[in-house]
Amino acid sequence: MIEAQGYFLHLAGTLYLLLFLCLCCSKQQKFFCCQDESSSRIITVTLITAILLKIFFPLGQWFLPAYFAVLEARAAVAIFMAMLAAIAVSYLEIRGGQKRLYLSLLPVSLALNSFILYWPYTILLLLDLVLLNMVLLIYLHSAGGKGLLRFCTVFFLFFAIWIAVSINGSSFLEKTFESQQRYKVHSKLKMLQKRFVDLERAGSSMAKIIAIMFTGEDTGLDYIARNKSEYLGKLRLLERLSGVSGIYLLDKKGHAILESDDKPNSYGLASLPIFRRAISGSSGISFLATGQGSNSFFARPVIYKGEFAGALLLRYSLSKYFMSDFEQEGIFLIDRTGKVILGPSAAGIQRVTLRDGNQEVLSAADMEYGVESPVLGEPGVSLVPYKMIHIPLFGGDWSLVKLYNPSALFKLRAGLSFVFFLISLVLMLLFLRMIYAKEFIARLEHEIFERKKAQKARELLADVVDQAIIGILIADKNLEIQYVNKCFQELTNYTLNDLKEMTLFSLFTGISGEHYSSLQEAVSGGIPWRKRVTGIPRKDDSRFDADVSLFPLKSEGGRIQNFVVAFRDISHELALEAQLLEAHKMEAVGVLAGGVAHDFNNMLAVIQFSVEIAKKNSEPGSPLWHNLDEIERTVQRASSIVRQLLLFSKGKKAPLIKVNLNQVLHDLETMLRQIAGTSIEIELRPGSGLWDILADKNCIELVLSNLMINARDAMPEGGKIVISTYNLNKGEKFGSGGFFADQDSVCLEIEDNGYGMDSETKAHIFDPFFTTKDVGKGTGLGLSVVYGIIKQFGGRIEVDSMPGSGTVFYIMLPRPGDDTEASHLLPGHGVETRFSGYGILLVEDEEMVKNIVRLALSEKGYRVFCASDVGEAQNLLNRHEDDIDLVLCDIVLPDKNGLALAETLRKYYPEKKIVMVSGHMEKGGAPPELSEQDLPFLAKPFTMADLFGVVARTLSSSSGVLKN
Amino acid sequence: MKKTLFLFCLIIGLLYSSELLADPAKKILIVASYSRHDLCGAPQYEGILSALRESEFQHLDITNIYLDSKRLGGRALDKRKRELIQKIEREVPYLIITIDDLAFSVVAPQVVGNGPPWVVFSGLNRSLEEYNHALHFLDGRTPVKNITGVYEYLFMPEQIKFFDLISPEKKKIALLYSTDFMGNILKGQVVRELKEAGLDKRLLFFPVSDMDELGRKALQIENNPQIGGYIPLTMSVKGKKREKYTIKELAPLLIRKVKKIDLALNMAFTKSGFLGGVSVDFYQMGHQAGELAANILREYPISRLSVQRAERYRFVINKRRLKCLGLKLPVEVYNMLDEFIL
């Protein structure tokens, strides 16, 4: 029989299993750790089996006591369950995948419960409970993490304390109850024992009295035997008076000498141990169940003349003395072997052996008669095993035994168990509720977190939309405007309130009809639309150009909910595009002008030389001389035009030095005022802290004079010219045309209040030969030259002008870096020295130039060798190495570049002097490659003086390179 | 997580283990003054056990300690006493049952007070007044502290009646006693009991301390015609080499030297060869003490468990000694015997 704690531990274990089952079968997906359905099923089956097993043990004892008492039956169930457990484990192992610790531990618990069936030890139950706790904790840990584990641990600890308190409390109550019951039973047994002791004392006294009465100095046993009739009456009288059931006087051999009834031998008196003890000198009592009933025999020795003569035996009928007690109380008298000597008379219980070895508790199965016996309790209640209390009698040879039915105890236990189970169930339900509440809160928190996250994302998105650098408009499906972002508001000057009364289409009033109709089609068709739209009206009726994208936002059902329109302002982009186009155009024009200038220079050089020669051969003042003089002036003017063309066309930088624009303005102020004339007021506004720039002062002068001339011409009736300088940081906006500085620059601003320009004029002002002036008043090269110069300086020129509102030119010149060094212009002029007789190799592909230069040099006394290309020059050098002192070489030659020849000369004829000639450079300027090689340079067209000067200076230099 | 799990298992284990450990069997210590097979001690022990077995307590943790004072002496006995005291201090048994005076005199001073441990004595021969004077545990016969028990009664007046029955001359009775601890105690008890019955003048005292003296005194008793019998109380007598001789060993010597009625105080003495007489029933005395002990285990208030006197005696005669002395007893005497030992 399991004790109270066993029941409670079983119940607790069942509750844990139920809890586990609830968690596993919970609809809360999170707790259903095992996603594998088969594993889930096997866990559920295992749990249910374990629960059944748990319930089977206590219920088995209650409802199947006979079956349950059979060890083999329990063993069979245990083996069956163990096999189930083994199958479950194997199945889980085979399935793999979902290998979790608790999956393995659960079948172990099942197996443990199987063992408990066979070995119902409390320690195994405890072990099982600890195991279940572990399994649950591991399970909950894997399901809910550390937070849940901590909560569950605290609860389980609390529950463990509750179980322990319940077990101890109920155990205490049960023990108290049982003690009271036992004490009651024991008291009855003690009273009966006392009566047996009294019987023994009475027997002893009575035996002594009888012995004294029957024996005397002369009356031994022989005498009594002989006079039996004399003593028999006395004996029977004594029997009646004393209440003894029989008195027997036996000789030493056990033969009856005198007996109060006639059947002494039927009791087997001589075989009684007390008879043998009596004839050995000791008196004593013995109990015997005989065919007629149960008797108590008292024996004492009979001593005659100092010798043992026999024994006197007194028989007490136990039935007579004790039967009512035995019947009423259900008490048994058993001997050392457990054989019942006296007991309740019903159902022949006397033939039953109550004790089997050391087994103190007899089960109902052993009590096949007892079950039917009303003495042993009601049959309905006798399903539970009886308990036995016994006390030894006379040193332990006999025992008084009482079987009592512990049903009252079981009722108490059932009550306590029920209360325990109920409270535990409430606790478990509370626990489950809390778990679910935690789970719910966790989900809620997660949802709130997700919502906050989404909210943040939405806010971010809203910020992105609101602060986007493109204008965004959202209209509903009725095209009523719902939202516009900041950029849109800045772009159009409309606020959302302004747009409330407007529809989407009204924003596009005035755009091209083609665009408008296509927009209408896109909106009505619910398809995306993208166009570059010009002339979108602002609130103030000004217009802007933008790339407009429109797309519908559709619901899940495909229905249009909103229209989103994005406006990307392309004004700046268009300006840049225009600039780029202008740059390309200017570059092309520059290339064209450069080419033309080269040929012109060659021709002008021939004309110049020819005129000079002709003038030498004519009389000054003669009509011919005047004509030649006119030709020469015309050539010079033409040469000036060509130089300006070259200045415009050069994409490469002229040698630059660091200058301060304020200083330059200060220096040129007088000249500028002369150009402007008296009717025009000039105001200089030099900026403070103006950065230096890299530029050529002459070029700046040219730029300013050109711009001043244009401004003056734009104000025939007088006006005002304001010249300002200021610094511009990169990205800084300037002017009213929305210009931005693309780098740190110094801005030179020249503003007039003349009649201004329309956009058409503005688009061509930098084109060469474009002019709005009357014929003969302008060459059309002024602004082209300005443009070319500014480009050379790496700068930028912008113009802002509207008809009737004057013109502003913005010239941005980049601020040089700290490490930028100004290049130095090589002097183009030298000291003419005559070196008559020196040999000069003239390398020129242009025949006219070659002839005229050869003629001029020859006239000066030089020995001239002529070559048309590099190859020929090299041949001449080889042949006349000693005769040639200087090589005058054109850069552009048919076969190779003149610089290649210069390189050859440097390498093989280092003593030879070189002068490079080119018509592609302005006067006084040299291409960078020449500057790098420090070669003297003569720009076409040149005068004879220039030619002789350069040749003389070069020949006079020691190294062949004209050093500055 | 591991720590939590470990703590959890530990607490569960502890909590549930406490249930397993709860309600352990109450510890009982039985301290006997003599050896396991002592003629006086062993029946008492059996009686105690019988009574405990008859109680409703199924599980009792009983430990036995034998001081074996008749064999051990001096240091060895002192050592055994110390060990006993240490054991009591260490284990604090719920109940201590002492058998005979020495065990009580060792245990009682150590534990007297409020129980547990409770003390139940059996077979005290020294007067309770003497003990109470030292320990103050009784108010009359009612315990006021944690000690109760059964003191031995030698039934000396009944013994004198028996002596007069077989020797009607009413001669003097020699009291041959050893001067050791137990000898003096028994002598005192005999005197006390007889004094209460006004029979103390029948006694002549013969104290002995060693074997030589024993021989001389035995001879004096034998040769003194006024003496009809003697009561042997030579519990322990020293030999020439200071070895100890107990009553069991001395009985043959006395029987041989003294051919007079030797009144044995108990059945054990009778079985040793003395003639016998009224003997205190040691088994029953132990049983009485055992029942007191059971009541203490039932947690009865000790004030309700008054000190008891041994109740039962047996009338026992040694047949061999009877023949040796050539005595002829009346038939009635024979038939009054509870035991006639061969």
Side-chain angles (χ1 to χ4, degrees):
Chain A
M1 178 185 285
I2 57 171
E3 297 298 330
Q5 64 262 41
Y7 277 100
F8 277 74
L9 291 174
H10 265 295
L11 281 175
T14 311
L15 282 168
Y16 275 113
L17 287 167
L18 277 171
L19 177 69
F20 202 170
L21 196 63
C22 285
L23 287 173
C24 274
C25 297
S26 165
K27 287 179 183 175
Q28 305 281 339
Q29 189 62 24
K30 190 175 179 184
F31 289 113
F32 214 116
C33 299
C34 185
Q35 300 296 332
D36 180 353
E37 278 188 19
S38 302
S39 294
S40 302
R41 273 202 298 276
I42 203 76
I43 288 172
T44 309
V45 168
T46 311
L47 283 171
I48 290 170
T49 312
I51 291 169
L52 290 176
L53 205 59
K54 283 270 182 206
I55 297 170
F56 175 76
F57 195 87
L59 291 187
Q61 288 205 7
W62 278 76
F63 296 111
L64 296 167
Y67 177 74
F68 204 79
V70 181
L71 208 57
E72 289 77 8
R74 274 158 51 191
V77 175
I79 290 167
F80 173 70
M81 292 300 181
M83 280 173 65
L84 259 182
I87 291 167
V89 173
S90 311
Y91 187 76
L92 290 174
E93 287 300 316
I94 290 165
R95 283 202 63 80
Q98 290 289 334
K99 276 188 180 174
R100 291 172 191 272
L101 185 58
Y102 63 86
L103 294 183
S104 301
L105 288 178
L106 204 57
V108 173
S109 165
L110 192 63
L112 201 61
N113 277 289
S114 307
F115 290 130
I116 290 166
L117 266 184
Y118 196 78
W119 293 294
Y121 298 132
T122 309
I123 190 72
L124 288 181
L125 285 163
L126 283 175
L127 196 63
D128 181 45
L129 213 56
V130 171
L131 194 68
L132 280 173
N133 271 295
M134 282 176 62
V135 171
L136 263 170
L137 282 177
I138 295 167
Y139 174 80
L140 288 168
H141 177 62
S142 61
K146 275 189 179 175
L148 190 63
L149 179 71
R150 207 170 292 124
F151 169 73
C152 293
T153 308
V154 171
F155 175 79
F156 286 167
L157 275 175
F158 172 73
F159 197 67
I161 292 167
W162 157 247
I163 292 170
V165 168
S166 303
I167 287 175
N168 280 296
S170 63
S171 200
F172 173 75
L173 287 174
E174 273 197 18
K175 277 177 183 168
T176 308
F177 183 78
E178 194 180 6
S179 296
Q180 286 171 355
Q181 277 210 325
R182 289 180 70 88
Y183 184 70
K184 281 181 192 170
V185 173
H186 196 266
S187 299
K188 286 171 185 170
L189 289 177
K190 283 294 280 184
M191 286 172 65
L192 207 57
Q193 184 203 30
K194 189 79 176 167
R195 287 182 60 197
F196 270 92
V197 172
D198 290 343
L199 179 70
E200 189 258 351
R201 286 187 178 178
S204 172
S205 301
M206 184 54 65
K208 283 179 184 176
I209 291 166
I210 293 170
I212 290 167
M213 284 178 67
F214 278 70
T215 55
E217 293 299 332
D218 301 320
T219 53
L221 291 188
D222 294 340
Y223 177 80
I224 294 170
R226 284 195 301 275
N227 301 289
K228 198 182 271 188
S229 57
E230 184 187 340
Y231 287 97
L232 194 59
K234 283 185 189 175
L235 195 67
R236 286 184 174 158
L237 183 64
L238 278 172
E239 183 194 278
R240 284 194 186 90
L241 290 173
S242 63
V244 179
S245 302
I247 303 170
Y248 312 98
L249 188 62
L250 307 179
D251 64 10
K252 281 167 64 174
K253 292 180 180 175
H255 296 139
I257 293 169
L258 195 65
E259 66 276 347
S260 61
D261 64 22
D262 53 355
K263 293 186 288 187
N265 289 327
S266 64
Y267 300 116
L269 298 175
S271 62
L272 291 175
I274 54 162
F275 171 74
R276 288 196 293 277
R277 283 175 56 196
I279 59 173
S280 302
S282 295
S283 57
I285 193 166
S286 179
F287 304 95
L288 187 67
T290 62
Q292 283 73 32
S294 302
N295 293 288
S296 165
F297 293 92
F298 185 85
R300 62 159 289 112
V302 176
I303 304 161
Y304 184 68
K305 294 184 178 177
E307 295 295 337
F308 291 111
L312 178 67
L313 276 80
L314 275 65
R315 180 175 67 84
Y316 293 91
S317 169
L318 291 175
S319 303
K320 182 180 169 185
Y321 279 88
F322 299 104
M323 200 60 209
S324 61
D325 296 295
F326 278 54
E327 293 274 7
Q328 285 173 13
E329 304 295 342
I331 294 172
F332 298 86
L333 175 66
I334 60 173
D335 66 10
R336 200 179 274 277
T337 64
K339 185 182 176 186
V340 175
I341 294 167
L342 182 66
S345 59
I349 194 76
Q350 291 86 346
R351 288 194 294 274
V352 175
T353 297
L354 279 187
R355 192 153 36 168
D356 181 15
N358 294 321
Q359 190 183 351
E360 291 183 347
V361 180
L362 302 182
S363 67
D366 290 330
M367 297 290 296
E368 53 181 313
Y369 301 107
V371 173
E372 301 298 328
S373 167
V375 177
L376 297 172
E378 302 159 45
V381 186
S382 64
L383 289 167
V384 292
Y386 283 86
K387 282 198 164 190
M388 184 176 80
I389 294 177
H390 67 98
I391 59 173
L393 204 59
F394 302 118
D397 287 338
W398 297 273
S399 289
L400 286 170
V401 175
K402 179 168 167 58
L403 292 175
Y404 74 96
N405 192 327
S407 56
L409 179 68
F410 277 86
K411 281 175 186 169
L412 174 74
R413 184 178 294 177
L416 292 172
S417 304
F418 181 70
V419 171
F420 168 76
F421 188 77
L422 212 61
I423 295 174
S424 301
L425 204 61
V426 169
L427 284 174
M428 285 291 187
L429 287 173
L430 202 64
F431 172 70
L432 274 175
R433 180 75 194 139
M434 287 170 83
I435 287 272
Y436 291 150
K438 280 182 91 69
E439 167 68 7
F440 177 72
I441 289 167
R443 278 165 180 259
L444 211 60
E445 282 175 350
H446 183 70
E447 201 169 311
I448 289 168
F449 174 75
E450 288 296 324
R451 282 188 183 181
K452 279 185 178 173
K453 210 168 135 185
Q455 179 73 19
K456 273 191 174 180
R458 274 201 298 276
E459 284 173 5
L460 181 67
L461 204 58
D463 286 346
V464 167
V465 171
D466 202 43
Q467 295 174 29
I469 56 170
I470 57 170
I472 294 172
L473 174 149
I474 299 173
D476 62 11
K477 58 185 177 183
N478 300 320
L479 305 180
E480 288 175 0
I481 295 161
Q482 304 293 320
Y483 168 82
V484 289
N485 70 349
K486 282 181 188 169
C487 182
F488 181 88
Q489 292 178 34
E490 286 172 4
L491 196 63
T492 61
N493 298 328
Y494 282 118
T495 62
L496 188 60
N497 284 334
D498 300 333
L499 297 166
K500 274 185 179 171
E501 302 300 324
M502 297 171 70
T503 63
L504 182 60
F505 288 126
S506 59
L507 277 177
F508 293 93
T509 310
I511 66 168
S512 76
E514 185 188 350
H515 283 171
Y516 194 82
S517 56
S518 68
L519 175 65
Q520 282 180 322
E521 282 173 17
V523 169
S524 59
I527 53 171
W529 180 81
R530 174 179 277 189
K531 293 286 180 196
R532 175 161 289 190
V533 183
T534 53
I536 301 169
R538 291 191 174 95
K539 186 182 177 183
D540 57 2
D541 291 335
S542 64
R543 299 199 173 249
F544 68 97
D545 304 331
D547 277 341
V548 181
S549 302
L550 177 141
F551 59 92
L553 285 180
K554 293 181 180 176
S555 64
E556 287 181 0
R559 300 181 66 180
I560 294 170
Q561 301 287 325
N562 294 92
F563 287 98
V564 179
V565 188
F567 296 82
R568 190 168 68 84
D569 184 13
I570 54 169
S571 303
H572 185 58
E573 195 177 310
L574 288 175
L576 286 176
E577 279 179 9
Q579 280 179 19
L580 188 64
L581 192 65
E582 183 68 14
H584 286 162
K585 187 175 79 182
M586 289 302 171
E587 193 176 354
V589 172
V591 169
L592 177 67
V596 171
H598 176 258
D599 291 339
F600 262 67
N601 275 342
N602 284 333
M603 286 185 279
L604 288 173
V606 173
I607 295 168
Q608 175 73 31
F609 270 57
S610 301
V611 168
E612 284 185 21
I613 291 166
K615 276 177 84 177
K616 279 182 183 176
N617 298 325
S618 63
E619 286 295 324
S622 64
L624 178 63
W625 195 92
H626 281 292
N627 288 336
L628 288 172
D629 194 42
E630 188 62 30
I631 292 168
E632 190 175 18
R633 279 200 300 274
T634 305
V635 167
Q636 282 171 354
R637 251 198 336 270
S639 176
S640 171
I641 290 168
V642 171
R643 269 204 305 278
Q644 288 194 46
L645 268 177
L646 281 170
L647 277 175
F648 162 75
S649 68
K650 288 297 132 192
K652 294 173 183 175
K653 290 180 184 176
L656 307 175
I657 57 170
K658 270 190 180 178
V659 293
N660 191 284
L661 269 183
N662 285 347
Q663 186 60 45
V664 173
L665 279 177
H666 178 72
D667 295 345
L668 298 177
E669 188 177 354
T670 309
M671 182 202 83
L672 294 175
R673 289 188 189 282
Q674 284 174 355
I675 292 172
T678 53
S679 62
I680 293 173
E681 182 192 349
I682 292 180
E683 183 185 347
L684 293 180
R685 293 179 186 170
S688 60
L690 199 70
W691 298 323
D692 289 340
I693 54 164
L694 283 179
D696 175 56
K697 192 178 173 183
N698 294 329
C699 292
I700 294 295
E701 181 187 337
L702 190 60
V703 167
L704 279 170
S705 57
N706 273 327
L707 290 175
M708 282 301 290
I709 290 165
N710 278 352
R712 182 199 62 197
D713 293 344
M715 297 182 291
E717 294 171 0
K720 185 179 180 182
I721 297 172
V722 180
I723 303 174
S724 314
T725 57
Y726 47 86
N727 292 332
L728 280 174
N729 290 310
K730 185 180 179 182
E732 196 175 341
K733 194 175 178 182
F734 64 94
S736 60
F739 306 119
F740 293 90
D742 51 3
Q743 55 188 326
D744 288 348
S745 312
V746 174
C747 185
L748 173 66
E749 183 182 311
I750 297 125
E751 181 182 6
D752 65 57
N753 54 1
Y755 44 71
M757 292 178 277
D758 58 12
S759 56
E760 184 66 22
T761 307
K762 219 163 52 176
H764 298 287
I765 53 171
F766 296 116
D767 293 355
F769 306 111
F770 175 80
T771 180
T772 56
K773 296 173 186 172
D774 297 335
V775 177
K777 284 193 174 178
T779 60
L781 285 171
L783 285 176
S784 302
V785 168
V786 169
Y787 180 87
I789 290 169
I790 298 305
K791 285 290 167 191
Q792 274 190 53
F793 294 166
R796 181 176 142 208
I797 184 166
E798 297 290 350
V799 61
D800 190 9
S801 180
M802 292 284 282
S805 58
T807 303
V808 186
F809 281 95
Y810 303 96
I811 296 168
M812 277 76 65
L813 294 168
R815 181 191 183 185
D818 294 338
D819 54 346
T820 308
E821 290 180 4
S823 58
H824 300 281
L825 184 65
L826 291 174
H829 307 281
V831 181
E832 185 181 339
T833 309
R834 292 185 183 281
F835 289 91
S836 182
Y838 278 68
I840 293 174
L841 173 60
L842 176 62
V843 187
E844 173 61 65
D845 59 331
E846 192 62 45
E847 200 60 33
M848 285 189 300
V849 177
K850 189 168 68 181
N851 291 334
I852 200 75
V853 171
R854 181 174 59 81
L855 185 63
L857 289 172
S858 299
E859 282 188 359
K860 275 287 178 184
Y862 294 108
R863 294 168 62 203
V864 180
F865 302 91
C866 290
S868 297
D869 52 33
V870 174
E872 192 181 347
Q874 283 175 344
N875 289 334
L876 284 171
L877 271 172
N878 290 336
R879 286 203 306 271
H880 307 283
E881 182 183 349
D882 297 334
D883 300 328
I884 296 171
D885 298 302
L886 183 141
V887 177
L888 189 64
C889 179
D890 192 8
I891 291 175
V892 182
L893 292 168
D895 57 349
K896 286 182 183 174
N897 194 306
L899 292 170
L901 179 63
E903 187 64 32
T904 307
L905 285 171
R906 280 196 161 198
K907 196 172 179 182
Y908 301 106
Y909 309 101
E911 73 283 2
K912 307 294 180 200
K913 308 290 177 13
I914 307 167
V915 175
M916 301 305 293
V917 181
S918 178
H920 281 277
M921 296 78 179
E922 79 276 31
K923 191 176 180 181
E929 55 266 35
L930 287 186
S931 299
E932 287 167 9
Q933 296 184 24
D934 281 346
L935 292 174
F937 170 68
L938 187 64
K940 291 177 185 174
F942 45 83
T943 60
M944 283 190 181
D946 293 336
L947 174 67
F948 298 146
V950 168
V951 170
R953 277 199 307 277
T954 306
L955 287 172
S956 64
S957 69
S958 57
S959 64
V961 176
L962 186 63
K963 298 284 182 187
N964 189 13
Chain B
M1 189 255 175
K2 282 179 185 171
K3 278 184 185 175
T4 315
L5 206 61
F6 173 73
L7 189 70
F8 180 76
C9 295
L10 187 71
I11 291 175
I12 284 193
L14 283 176
L15 280 173
Y16 293 164
S17 300
S18 70
E19 167 56 22
L20 291 178
L21 296 172
D23 194 21
K26 289 174 177 170
K27 277 190 176 179
I28 299 173
L29 186 63
I30 299 178
V31 186
S33 301
Y34 310 117
S35 67
R36 180 190 297 264
H37 304 291
D38 184 75
L39 293 172
C40 306
Q44 289 183 69
Y45 179 78
E46 288 300 323
I48 290 166
L49 279 191
S50 171
L52 290 175
R53 275 194 217 107
E54 288 166 14
S55 70
E56 69 274 24
F57 302 105
Q58 293 177 317
H59 307 293
L60 293 173
D61 179 7
I62 298 175
T63 307
N64 304 314
I65 290 180
Y66 300 94
L67 293 177
D68 200 6
S69 64
K70 288 179 183 173
R71 189 176 63 81
L72 302 174
R75 289 179 182 176
L77 184 59
D78 290 342
K79 187 185 174 191
R80 180 82 47 108
K81 287 176 186 174
R82 277 198 305 276
E83 286 172 355
L84 169 64
I85 291 166
Q86 285 169 2
K87 188 175 177 67
I88 291 168
E89 287 173 349
R90 191 171 59 246
E91 296 181 4
V92 192
Y94 184 77
L95 174 65
I96 303 172
I97 302 172
T98 64
I99 299 174
D100 295 325
D101 288 83
L102 182 64
F104 182 75
S105 65
V106 173
V107 171
Q110 301 299 325
V111 299
V112 66
N114 297 314
W118 307 99
V119 178
V120 174
F121 57 81
S122 172
L124 284 192
N125 296 104
R126 200 174 190 175
S127 76
L128 285 174
E129 285 69 24
E130 283 182 52
Y131 282 119
N132 200 33
H133 183 70
L135 302 173
H136 308 290
F137 66 98
L138 289 174
D139 179 12
R141 289 290 180 267
T142 305
V144 292
K145 288 186 178 171
N146 57 339
I147 301 171
T148 188
V150 180
Y151 66 91
E152 190 172 333
Y153 188 64
L154 299 176
F155 300 99
M156 286 314 294
E158 284 79 10
Q159 194 78 297
I160 297 300
K161 283 179 191 171
F162 166 70
F163 177 72
D164 290 345
L165 198 63
I166 57 175
S167 175
E169 297 92 348
K170 294 198 176 177
K171 286 185 177 179
K172 295 279 187 181
I173 298 168
L175 187 61
L176 182 66
Y177 66 98
S178 56
T179 55
D180 67 326
F181 177 77
M182 274 312 295
N184 277 321
I185 286 176
L186 287 171
K187 171 239 174 185
Q189 191 177 6
V190 169
V191 172
R192 194 167 58 246
E193 285 184 14
L194 288 176
K195 201 172 184 178
E196 285 172 2
L199 296 170
D200 55 323
K201 289 176 183 171
R202 297 279 300 273
L203 292 175
L204 290 173
F205 299 98
F206 292 87
V208 294
S209 57
D210 55 35
M211 291 299 287
D212 290 343
E213 195 176 10
L214 180 68
R216 286 198 306 276
K217 295 287 170 68
L219 203 60
Q220 286 175 15
I221 292 168
E222 177 65 20
N223 295 333
N224 190 341
Q226 289 184 337
I227 297 172
Y230 72 102
I231 302 170
L233 295 176
T234 50
M235 304 310 291
S236 179
V237 175
K238 290 173 185 171
K240 287 179 180 176
K241 296 178 182 175
R242 301 188 67 79
E243 71 274 23
K244 280 188 174 179
Y245 293 96
T246 65
I247 185 74
K248 194 176 179 181
E249 293 156 335
L250 295 172
L253 176 71
L254 290 171
I255 290 166
R256 197 170 61 245
K257 288 195 171 182
V258 183
K259 301 293 184 190
K260 290 187 176 176
I261 295 169
D262 23 29
L263 298 169
L265 290 185
N266 54 50
M267 195 189 295
F269 283 18
T270 309
K271 283 180 178 174
S272 321
F274 298 117
L275 178 64
V278 176
S279 299
V280 62
D281 189 337
F282 283 126
Y283 177 87
Q284 281 301 325
M285 186 166 67
H287 195 274
Q288 269 182 266
E291 286 191 329
L292 279 176
N295 284 332
I296 285 177
L297 292 175
R298 290 183 194 108
E299 299 181 4
Y300 281 13
I302 196 163
S303 57
R304 286 168 57 188
L305 303 174
S306 297
V307 173
Q308 298 175 11
R309 195 187 77 175
E311 289 175 349
R312 291 190 70 175
Y313 64 87
R314 288 175 77 85
F315 194 15
V316 185
I317 282 189
N318 190 319
K319 185 184 174 188
R320 188 175 293 172
R321 183 61 173 162
L322 189 68
K323 279 191 174 177
C324 179
L325 294 174
L327 289 172
K328 288 187 178 178
L329 301 179
V331 174
E332 292 79 9
V333 173
Y334 282 122
N335 287 319
M336 283 171 67
L337 291 177
D338 290 305
E339 208 150 340
F340 193 45
I341 298 168
L342 288 173

